[in-house]
Amino acid sequence: MKNYVIVGNGVAAVGCIEGIRSVDSTGAITIVSEENSPAYCRPLISYYLEKKTTLEKMPYRPADFYEKNGCTVLYGQKAEQIDADTQTVLLSGGAALPYTSVCVATGSSPFVPPFAGLERVKNKFSFMTVEDTLALEKALSPNANVFIVGAGV
């Protein structure tokens, strides 16, 4: 039996799961997710802040998607290293996940330009995850002034 490890838990990871299941219905699939939530539609996080959607409407697949596809999801875990010689993915906590096949589907990371004085800004946020969005929402007041750099999500 094959043992698949997917590093990342976004739209690409979901596509990988669906692709695996289209050719292998029995292999073990383990997803390593730094976030603590199932895959969701990342562009909707801006709509959430605008009150145009809710967190409940953001998941990319139904709640039973992982279970129906025989997946184990390791939420809140970070893959630190892929060791091709031993065919293991090493996690930040020290665990080693053996694999037959591995897919890195981690997406992008926000880049914060090195602005002079940025280190003195108390409330600064990246805007890539649900956790980022919730922290930003908590920090905002009704009459807040906001300075946005970038044109991504």
Side-chain angles (χ1 to χ4, degrees), residues 7 9 21 27 31-33 35 40 47 51 80 82-83 96-97 107 112 115 122-123 126 140 151:
V7 179
N9 189 27
R21 286 296 175 240
I31 295 97
V32 180
S33 176
E35 294 188 62
Y40 55 90
Y47 290 105
K51 308 290 187 225
E80 294 286 338
I82 296 173
D83 187 331
L97 301 175
V112 179
F115 290 110
K122 179 181 175 188
N123 290 319
S126 295
L140 289 174

Side-chain angles (χ1 to χ4, degrees), residues 73-123:
V73 185
L74 304 176
Y75 290 110
Q77 298 287 322
K78 183 175 182 177
E80 294 286 338
Q81 180 182 350
I82 296 173
D83 187 331
D85 293 333
T86 62
Q87 288 193 291
T88 56
V89 176
L90 304 175
L91 303 182
S92 55
L97 301 175
Y99 67 82
T100 307
S101 297
V102 65
C103 175
V104 178
T106 55
S108 64
S109 298
F111 170 73
V112 179
F115 290 110
L118 188 59
E119 69 281 354
R120 294 189 311 263
V121 175
K122 179 181 175 188
N123 290 319

